[in-house]
Amino acid sequence: MPKQLFEKDEKVLCFHGELLYEAKILEVTQDSTSDPFQYRVHYKGWKASWDDWVEDDRLRKMTDENRETAQALKRQYHESTQKPIKTTATKKRGQLSDFGSARGSEERNGSAPTTSRGQKRGRNADIEDEETFHNRPMIKIPVPEFIKSLLVDDWEEVTKNLSLVPLPAPKPANMIIDEYFEEEKEKRFAGSAEMDLLEEVRSGLKEYFDVALGRTLLYRFERQQYMEARKAWTEGKGEWKGRTCVGEVYGAEHLCRMIVQLPEMIAQTNMDGQSVNRLREEMTKFLQWLSRNTRTYFTADYEPTSQDYKELSRGN
C-alpha cells in the first residue's frame, strides 16, 4: 500500500524538467488505497497557472542536502547553456574531460565529438543514425571542484610520476558505495520511489565498475599492476583473501574515473529522459558526499615503481 510521504502545506523541492524548484503542497489526494498519492504543488514565485499535480518521485524534502543538489543542478544547467561546446580533440591533454575515457588517454589523439543534442556536424555520415544518437537523453554530472583536482593529481601521479595507487585499496569501491547507501537510506522512506532508485544505483554502480575497470578505466602504465592484482586475488592469500572482483580491489580514484565517464556510457543506452534526470540527481548527491569524505577514501600516497615494473609496463 502506498504511503503518504508529504503533507498538505509542506514546503518541498519539486522537479520541473531538469531542475528542482521550491514549491508548496496545496492538496493531497489518492484515488484508491492501491493508487499512488497525488500532490498538487505551487512553485514559489510562479503564477498559479503553473500549479501541477505530481507523484512523490518528483518531490524532495526541503533539506540542506537537497538544496545543495538543487543549486548544483542549476549551476550545471547554466554552464551547459552558456559555454561554447568544444570537441574533446581540442582540449588540453590531462584536463578532466580526458578522464571520461581513461584507457590510453595519455597517448590518445582525439575522440568522438561532443556536439550538443540535435546539432548537425556537417559530415557525410549516416543522417538517420546521427539524429537518433543526438536525440538520446544526455547527462552531464556536476563534479565538485575538489574531486576534479584529485583526478588531475591522480592523472599526473600515474602518467607523469609513474606511480601507482596502492592495491588492494583499504576502502574499495564496493565498500564506498555500500557506506554511502547505508547513510543515504536513513533519509528515505522504505518502499518509496527514492529508495528503489537508490538501490538500483547501488547495484548499477557496482556492475558498471566491474565491467569498465579492465576495459576503460586504466591508464597504460597501470595495466601490468592490473594483471598482477588479478593473479593475487585469484590466489587469495594474505590481504587478498576474500577479494573476488575489481570492486573489492580498486578504490575511490578509479571509481571517480568511472563516474565522469558515465555520460559516455549512458549515451550508448536507451535510457529515457526521466531516468537520466534521476540518475544525474543521484550521482550529484553521491559526489557531494564523496567530496566531504575524501580523506577517508582517497589514498594519500601513491607507490613508486621499480625499474623492472617500468620495463614490463612498456610491453602492455
Side-chain angles (χ1 to χ4, degrees):
M1 181 182 298
K3 294 182 180 180
Q4 181 178 338
L5 304 181
F6 302 89
E7 302 293 335
K8 183 178 181 295
D9 296 327
E10 182 177 353
K11 293 182 179 180
V12 296
L13 292 167
C14 182
F15 269 105
H16 185 84
E18 299 181 355
L19 301 179
L20 280 166
Y21 297 91
E22 291 188 26
K24 181 179 180 180
I25 295 176
L26 303 180
E27 298 179 50
V28 182
T29 65
Q30 185 184 32
D31 293 336
S32 69
T33 55
S34 61
D35 290 326
F37 282 89
Q38 299 282 335
Y39 303 88
R40 181 167 170 250
V41 298
H42 172 73
Y43 298 101
K44 181 180 179 182
W46 294 32
K47 294 181 179 179
S49 58
W50 286 98
D51 291 357
D52 199 5
W53 284 98
V54 302
E55 295 183 9
D56 58 36
D57 62 345
R58 281 180 55 185
L59 299 173
R60 300 293 183 268
K61 292 289 184 179
M62 188 69 78
T63 64
D64 290 341
E65 182 180 9
N66 286 338
R67 283 175 179 270
E68 184 179 354
T69 299
Q71 289 300 315
L73 293 175
K74 184 177 180 181
R75 287 193 300 270
Q76 180 266 316
Y77 175 79
H78 285 303
E79 289 173 0
S80 66
T81 56
Q82 293 176 8
K83 287 186 177 181
I85 298 170
K86 300 178 181 179
T87 63
T88 54
T90 63
K91 293 182 180 180
K92 183 179 179 181
R93 187 178 300 173
Q95 288 182 331
L96 181 65
S97 61
D98 283 338
F99 297 109
S101 40
R103 182 182 58 189
S105 65
E106 63 268 37
E107 68 265 338
R108 187 175 63 250
N109 293 321
S111 62
T114 56
T115 53
S116 61
R117 181 173 23 172
Q119 183 177 353
K120 296 182 180 180
R121 293 174 294 176
R123 294 184 180 178
N124 294 323
D126 187 316
I127 300 301
E128 183 177 0
D129 288 348
E130 183 176 347
E131 290 180 352
T132 299
F133 175 81
H134 287 301
N135 284 330
R136 293 173 182 168
M138 304 298 286
I139 178 173
K140 184 176 181 181
I141 301 171
V143 181
E145 290 299 321
F146 192 52
I147 296 290
K148 289 182 182 179
S149 67
L150 288 174
L151 283 171
V152 172
D153 291 344
D154 172 60
W155 178 84
E156 290 182 345
E157 285 287 351
V158 177
T159 66
K160 300 298 183 183
N161 299 338
L162 301 183
S163 300
L164 296 170
V165 176
L167 298 179
K171 293 276 189 177
N174 285 359
M175 181 184 294
I176 296 171
I177 295 167
D178 285 339
E179 290 186 359
Y180 170 74
F181 174 85
E182 292 300 321
E183 183 175 324
E184 182 64 20
K185 76 175 184 179
E186 299 300 323
K187 307 171 186 176
R188 310 193 186 192
F189 294 95
S192 67
E194 281 189 284
M195 179 59 78
D196 291 343
L197 178 60
L198 181 64
E199 292 174 347
E200 289 177 10
V201 168
R202 177 196 197 184
S203 60
L205 282 177
K206 290 182 179 181
E207 290 176 11
Y208 267 124
F209 190 74
D210 193 44
V211 172
L213 191 285
R215 297 181 181 180
T216 63
L217 303 184
L218 298 175
Y219 295 111
R220 178 178 176 179
F221 190 68
E222 295 176 304
R223 292 172 190 162
Q224 178 64 30
Q225 183 193 36
Y226 173 69
M227 291 189 292
E228 294 173 359
R230 285 193 65 89
K231 180 180 178 181
W233 84 61
T234 299
E235 294 175 350
K237 298 178 181 179
E239 61 182 347
W240 296 92
K241 186 176 182 180
R243 301 176 189 264
T244 60
C245 64
V246 294
E248 295 170 350
V249 173
Y250 288 82
E253 295 78 13
H254 293 81
L255 179 59
C256 283
R257 292 185 201 174
M258 184 194 73
I259 291 175
V260 298
Q261 185 182 337
L262 275 178
E264 297 178 19
M265 295 180 177
I266 299 303
Q268 306 304 318
T269 71
N270 294 321
M271 188 176 293
D272 60 81
Q274 186 179 33
S275 298
V276 166
N277 287 337
R278 292 176 180 175
L279 177 61
R280 181 180 59 182
E281 181 192 4
E282 290 298 328
M283 289 297 94
T284 299
K285 287 184 176 181
F286 177 73
L287 286 175
Q288 289 170 346
W289 173 84
L290 190 58
S291 69
R292 295 192 293 268
N293 295 278
T294 52
R295 292 187 178 181
T296 302
Y297 297 117
F298 284 80
T299 186
D301 300 302
Y302 282 66
E303 290 182 342
T305 53
S306 65
Q307 187 60 40
D308 288 342
Y309 180 91
K310 293 182 177 71
E311 292 292 335
L312 286 171
S313 68
R314 290 172 184 167
N316 295 319

